[in-house]
Amino acid sequence: MALLEEWRKIAYDEKLPQDKLKKFWERYFDLEKGVYEKLLTNPDEKVEGTVKELAEKYGLSVMEMTGFLDGIDTSLVEPNPIETMEEDTHVSLAFDKEKLYKNMVDAKADWLYNLPMWDDIFSKEKQRELYLEQKKSGTVVVGKKVGRNDPCPCGSGKKYKYCCGR
């Protein structure tokens, strides 16, 4: 069984009591934060190795590193083969800084996008710009509804009900 499949069985186990699942995720998020603190301290360093080597480097179990790789995958310059990876699969943690920041905002992971290391990467203005850009990307703006007796938006000069409203 691929590592990712194993990770998902553990992390999303519906049979596990809610309090145990909550403790599992709290512990994982704390470990994840530690890895991001190290990565963001030197964001241009090219970090790569096998899943097992990276797990050892960051003090995680192979399963925890699998979860981390699953989470960061959409922020990477080149995605890793996470669906099929095993302990000896070579992976890279080379991430796109803006994409990573936006993905952290999208995940509502304030403990990650508020890390002080971001201040050395982006100015406060840039962080705010990226934050707002990401928040707006999920906002759907609905235009004003055309009433049946309003002029038709197609420009025909007729009432909507006699034109495109049929």
Side-chain angles (χ1 to χ4, degrees):
M1 180 185 315
L3 289 175
L4 187 63
E5 198 177 326
E6 275 184 66
W7 164 256
R8 289 181 176 163
K9 273 186 179 179
I10 295 166
Y12 303 106
D13 186 358
E14 292 176 7
K15 296 174 191 137
L16 204 63
Q18 285 297 316
D19 61 321
K20 288 194 177 185
L21 199 57
K22 185 180 179 198
K23 282 184 179 144
F24 169 84
W25 281 106
E26 284 173 355
R27 183 179 176 283
Y28 172 76
F29 289 146
D30 196 42
L31 293 170
E32 178 188 47
K33 181 181 175 185
V35 176
Y36 276 119
E37 286 172 337
K38 291 174 186 167
L39 282 175
L40 294 172
T41 299
N42 193 357
D44 297 319
E45 177 187 358
K46 189 169 181 164
V47 179
E48 51 184 43
T50 66
V51 175
K52 188 174 183 172
E53 290 169 350
L54 291 179
E56 289 169 2
K57 178 178 181 167
Y58 292 106
L60 304 176
S61 70
V62 171
M63 276 298 111
E64 292 161 346
M65 179 50 74
T66 301
F68 182 82
L69 289 165
D70 185 25
I72 197 173
D73 200 58
T74 56
S75 304
L76 297 176
V77 175
E78 284 196 33
N80 290 312
I82 62 168
E83 296 292 333
T84 58
M85 71 184 172
E86 297 294 336
E87 284 187 18
D88 59 348
T89 304
H90 189 81
V91 292
S92 170
L93 296 180
F95 57 90
D96 178 306
K97 296 174 200 114
E98 287 190 11
K99 207 187 283 186
L100 179 62
Y101 190 85
K102 287 180 180 181
N103 286 339
M104 289 175 171
V105 170
D106 189 43
K108 298 176 178 71
D110 59 337
W111 64 94
L112 296 176
Y113 67 77
N114 284 328
L115 285 171
M117 293 82 187
W118 284 113
D119 295 341
D120 296 332
I121 299 169
F122 299 126
S123 67
K124 283 290 183 193
E125 294 79 29
K126 181 68 174 176
Q127 288 177 50
R128 181 160 173 69
E129 176 188 320
L130 293 171
Y131 179 89
L132 292 174
E133 197 176 304
Q134 181 57 40
K135 287 293 186 184
K136 285 179 184 174
S137 72
T139 305
V140 177
V141 179
V142 179
K144 183 180 178 284
K145 186 176 177 186
V146 179
R148 33 183 276 124
N149 288 316
D150 291 341
C152 190
C154 77
S156 67
K158 297 180 184 177
K159 285 186 177 182
Y160 179 68
K161 67 182 175 184
Y162 293 121
C163 191
C164 295
R166 290 188 160 183

